[in-house]
C-alpha cells in the first residue's frame, strides 16, 4: 500500500532524487526544505513516515526529531534520519532522539527503499506491500487479490483493508474504536457499529472456504484474527 512520506531536506538535488525514487516505489511524497515548514505541513495532514535530514538551516534535524517524538500528536510517526555523518556516536545520538532508523549519505535508492519498508513494516505492518498468509487464507496488497485455499475471495474495498489490517496484526484483540482508527482513518466520522457491518460482510465472503472462523468476536472487547479456536 502506498505510504505518504514527508521528505525534510534542504538540498534541492537530493530532495528531488529522493522524491523521484519514492514515487517510483509507489509512495506519495510531500517535501519541505526546513523543519519549520515541515511542522506546518504536518499540522494539515500526518504523513506515514518522515525522512529527516540531519543538517538543516534553522532547526536541526535532531532537534526536530526530538520535538516530533515529544509531541503526542506526532510521536507515532516513524522517522528515518538522513545524514552525511557516518560516525557511530552520531548514529547513537540520532537514535536516542527517538528516530526509528538512520541512513548515511550517499545511499542507493535500493537501500533507502529497503529501510523505508522495514520501518513501515515494524511501525505499521499494513502499509507494506508484502503478501500475508494465515491458515490457507492469502492476501496480496499489490494485486489486491485474496484467496482461500487457492480459490478467489471477492471483497469490497473496506473489507479488503479490514482483512489486511487484521492479518498484519493477528492474535490481538482490536476494539471497534481501534479498527475505525486504523482501517477507516481519523478523517472520517463513522459509527462503531459500522465495524460490525463490515465484519459481517467479511465473514460472509470467507464462508465458502470456512476461513470465517478466523475472524473472532471477543465479547465486550472487539475482534481478533486468530487460528486458535
Ligand atoms: Ca542538509
Amino acid at each position: 500500500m502506498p505510504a505518504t512520506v514527508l521528505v525534510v531536506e534542504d538540498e534541492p538535488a537530493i530532495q528531488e532524487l529522493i522524491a523521484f525514487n519514492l514515487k517510483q516505489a509507489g509512495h506519495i511524497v510531500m517535501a519541505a526544505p526546513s523543519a519549520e515548514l515541515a511542522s506546518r505541513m504536518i499540522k494539515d495532514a500526518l504523513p506515514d513516515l518522515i525522512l529527516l535530514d540531519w543538517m538543516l538551516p534553522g532547526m536541526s534535524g535532531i532537534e526536530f526529531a526530538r520535538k516530533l517524538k515529544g509531541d503526542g500528536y506526532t510521536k507515532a510517526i516513524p522517522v528515518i534520519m538522513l545524514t552525511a555523518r557516518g560516525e557511530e556516536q552520531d548514529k547513537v545520538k540520532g537514535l536516542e532522539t527517538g528516530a526509528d532508523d538512520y541512513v548515511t549519505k550517499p545511499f542507493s535508492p535500493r537501500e533507502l527503499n529497503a529501510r523505508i519498508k522495514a520501518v513501515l513494516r515494524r511501525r505499521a505492518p499494513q502499509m507494506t506491500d508484502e503478501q500475508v498468509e494465515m491458515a490457507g487464507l492469502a492476501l496480496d496488497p499489490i494485486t489486491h487479490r485474496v484467496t482461500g485455499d487457492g480459490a478467489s475471495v471477492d471483497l469490497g474495498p473496506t473489507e479488503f483493508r479490514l482483512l489486511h489490517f487484521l492479518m498484519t496484526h493477528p492474535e490481538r484483540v482490536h476494539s471497534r474504536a481501534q479498527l475505525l482508527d486504523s482501517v477507516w482513518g481519523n478523517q472520517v466520522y463513522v459509527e462503531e457499529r459500522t465495524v460490525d457491518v463490515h465484519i459481517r460482510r467479511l465473514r460472509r465472503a470467507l464462508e465458502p472456504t470456512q476461513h470465517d472462523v478466523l475472524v473472532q468476536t471477543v465479547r465486550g472487547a472487539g475482534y481478533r484474527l486468530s487460528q486458535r479456536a
Side-chain angles (χ1 to χ4, degrees), residues 29-224:
V29 181
M30 297 165 28
S34 70
E36 289 79 2
L37 197 64
S39 282
R40 285 211 291 278
M41 291 172 82
I42 288 170
K43 279 200 187 94
D44 293 332
L46 285 182
D48 299 308
L49 180 113
I50 298 175
L51 291 183
L52 180 56
D53 186 28
W54 180 301
M55 301 289 277
L56 289 168
M59 185 188 287
S60 76
I62 286 286
E63 280 172 75
F64 188 45
R66 205 169 279 136
K67 195 173 152 237
L68 290 166
K69 294 298 177 180
D71 182 341
Y73 180 63
T74 54
K75 72 175 177 202
I77 308 171
V79 174
I80 298 178
M81 299 290 303
L82 305 174
T83 182
R85 307 175 187 209
E87 313 254 327
E88 199 57 31
Q89 209 182 334
D90 287 338
K91 181 172 173 171
V92 170
K93 201 170 148 199
L95 294 175
E96 266 173 7
T97 62
D100 297 81
D101 203 355
Y102 190 98
V103 181
T104 307
K105 291 179 194 169
F107 44 82
S108 70
R110 239 173 89 187
E111 184 193 354
L112 186 62
N113 279 339
R115 297 294 187 95
I116 288 174
K117 225 172 176 175
V119 167
L120 286 176
R121 193 188 303 128
R122 212 154 63 220
R123 300 298 298 264
Q126 79 276 20
M127 298 301 304
T128 72
D129 52 15
E130 276 177 28
Q131 181 167 325
V132 275
E133 196 272 335
M134 182 193 260
L137 182 65
L139 179 148
D140 186 336
I142 294 176
T143 59
H144 259 244
R145 265 175 64 86
V146 177
T147 53
D149 300 327
S152 189
V153 176
D154 196 20
L155 292 180
T158 305
E159 286 72 53
F160 181 87
R161 286 204 310 277
L162 182 59
L163 182 63
H164 193 199
F165 178 78
L166 290 172
M167 288 185 81
T168 48
H169 301 78
E171 309 294 345
R172 267 174 275 177
V173 183
H174 308 284
S175 70
R176 287 168 180 81
Q178 282 165 348
L179 289 173
L180 280 179
D181 235 35
S182 308
V183 178
W184 278 259
N186 49 10
Q187 276 91 350
V188 204
Y189 178 78
V190 196
E191 283 183 65
E192 291 198 358
R193 88 190 118 167
T194 303
V195 175
D196 303 333
V197 172
H198 289 279
I199 286 277
R200 218 156 36 230
R201 284 190 199 158
L202 176 60
R203 280 187 179 136
R204 208 175 303 138
L206 297 177
E207 262 169 27
T209 51
Q210 284 161 17
H211 285 103
D212 55 310
V213 296
L214 298 177
V215 185
Q216 302 174 353
T217 304
V218 182
R219 204 168 284 277
Y223 295 102
R224 171 178 58 200

